[in-house]
């Protein structure tokens, strides 16, 4: 049996996590052929196939699944042991990997990370923009960002940013040809720009006024999956969009968009940064958490 290289085990985990050789190679800064050779050498050393390969996808075999189940905690223990040495350094080092929806990454997480990296030059930050609900531990992330009601019970969560509100907007051009809605139910007669989430479900629009809550399923000809594209569509007069205020604040101020049903705004919880309660937290991640705890978030008015 050929000698087993420990780094090939970590490469195997990367290939499964990334879903293919090319993505794993990009993450490691090497060629796809180098990744393929490492996996082939690992399979030869173990005497068993670990991955099923097709022209379009790579998936673990039953043996690969079993190995992955044991490897993930073992590799984490190795990283923890190395990180323990990091505590002896004057400055934290390492990588912080965070999974977050696009809006949270755009307006809260990225600005925080940029300032954090200036204070901690030895820490690398990787932010993956993804709206799907995932297992951050299984996918190799240190933390994730979601709304409070989307968090698993075994996670520690902390507020990330102020409370949120959506704005209902349309262009002046659209309103020249359509009457303004006076209530949420009027929106059912309008061309609304709909959003489909990664899991396939359609977004519903929630409103609140004087204790009355209303939720509608918007109707319209255009369906998108990106807040930026929805904003572009609204600017082009394609319909009414339902977007977080951060995306349209400047457009409203400049008159490029007009806000509708202002008195029906529903206030939402803030984003939450969450991380596993049963997992060792690296020095780099602890520094990031402490940086967030020191922040003071502005209040959002009614």
């Amino acid at each position: 049996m050929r000698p087993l290289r420990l780094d090939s085990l970590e490469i195997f985990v990367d290939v499964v996590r990334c879903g293919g050789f090319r993505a794993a190679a990009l993450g490691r800064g090497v060629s796809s052929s180098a990744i393929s050779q490492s996996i082939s050498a690992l399979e030869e050393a173990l005497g068993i196939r670990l991955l099923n390969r097709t022209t379009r996808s790579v998936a673990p075999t039953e043996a690969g699944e079993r190995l992955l189940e044991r490897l993930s905690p073992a590799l984490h223990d190795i990283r923890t042991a190395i990180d323990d040495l990091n505590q002896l350094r004057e400055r934290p080092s390492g990588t912080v990997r965070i999974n977050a929806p696009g809006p949270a990454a755009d307006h809260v997480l990225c600005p925080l990370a940029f300032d954090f990296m200036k204070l901690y030059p030895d820490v690398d930050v990787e932010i993956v923009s993804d709206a799907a609900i995932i297992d951050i531990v299984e996918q190799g992330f240190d933390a994730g960002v979601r709304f409070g009601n989307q968090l698993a019970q075994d996670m520690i969560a902390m507020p990330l940013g102020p409370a949120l509100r959506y704005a209902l907007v349309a262009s002046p051009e659209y309103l020249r040809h359509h009457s303004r809605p006076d209530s949420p139910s009027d929106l059912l007669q309008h061309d609304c720009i709909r959003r489909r989430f990664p899991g396939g479900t359609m977004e519903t629009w929630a409103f609140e006024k004087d204790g009355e809550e209303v939720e509608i399923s918007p109707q319209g000809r255009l369906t998108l999956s990106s807040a930026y594209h929805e904003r572009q569509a609204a600017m082009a007069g394609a319909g009414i969009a339902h977007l977080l205020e951060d995306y349209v604040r400047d457009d409203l101020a400049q008159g490029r968009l007009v806000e509708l049903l202002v008195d029906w705004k529903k206030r939402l919880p803030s984003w939450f940064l969450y991380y596993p309660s049963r997992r060792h937290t690296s020095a780099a991640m602890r520094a990031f958490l402490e940086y967030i705890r020191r922040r003071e978030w502005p209040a959002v008015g009614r």
Side-chain angles (χ1 to χ4, degrees), residues 107 165-170 227 230-232 234-235 241-259 265:
H107 302 294
R165 291 195 308 183
Y166 276 87
L168 196 70
V169 298
E230 291 170 47
R231 172 184 169 271
Q232 287 180 316
M235 297 270 287
H242 187 247
L243 294 163
L244 287 172
E245 287 181 330
D246 287 325
Y247 282 105
V248 295
R249 186 171 285 111
D250 290 343
D251 297 322
L252 294 173
Q254 298 298 322
R256 293 186 291 265
L257 290 173
V258 177
E259 188 168 7
K265 276 189 177 181

Side-chain angles (χ1 to χ4, degrees), residues 142-216:
D142 296 291
V145 178
R146 293 295 183 271
F147 285 124
N149 60 359
Q150 296 176 326
L151 304 183
Q153 293 183 351
D154 60 345
M155 294 289 169
I156 299 173
M158 58 193 303
L160 188 72
L164 303 168
R165 291 195 308 183
Y166 276 87
L168 196 70
V169 298
S171 70
E173 174 67 18
Y174 178 87
L175 294 175
R176 276 194 286 270
H177 297 88
H178 301 81
S179 61
R180 292 194 181 207
D182 295 320
S183 68
S185 61
D186 291 343
L187 293 170
L188 299 176
Q189 309 303 317
H190 279 266
D191 210 355
C192 297
I193 300 165
R194 305 190 302 168
R195 177 181 301 184
R196 188 182 297 279
F197 293 118
T201 59
M202 300 295 291
E203 180 190 27
T204 58
W205 294 359
F207 303 91
E208 188 271 332
K209 179 181 179 182
D210 300 330
E212 178 187 359
E213 295 192 8
V214 177
E215 194 170 276
I216 70 164

Side-chain angles (χ1 to χ4, degrees), residues 211-231:
E212 178 187 359
E213 295 192 8
V214 177
E215 194 170 276
I216 70 164
S217 297
Q219 302 299 309
R221 298 166 56 206
L222 181 62
T223 301
L224 300 169
S225 61
S226 160
Y228 278 114
H229 295 156
E230 291 170 47
R231 172 184 169 271

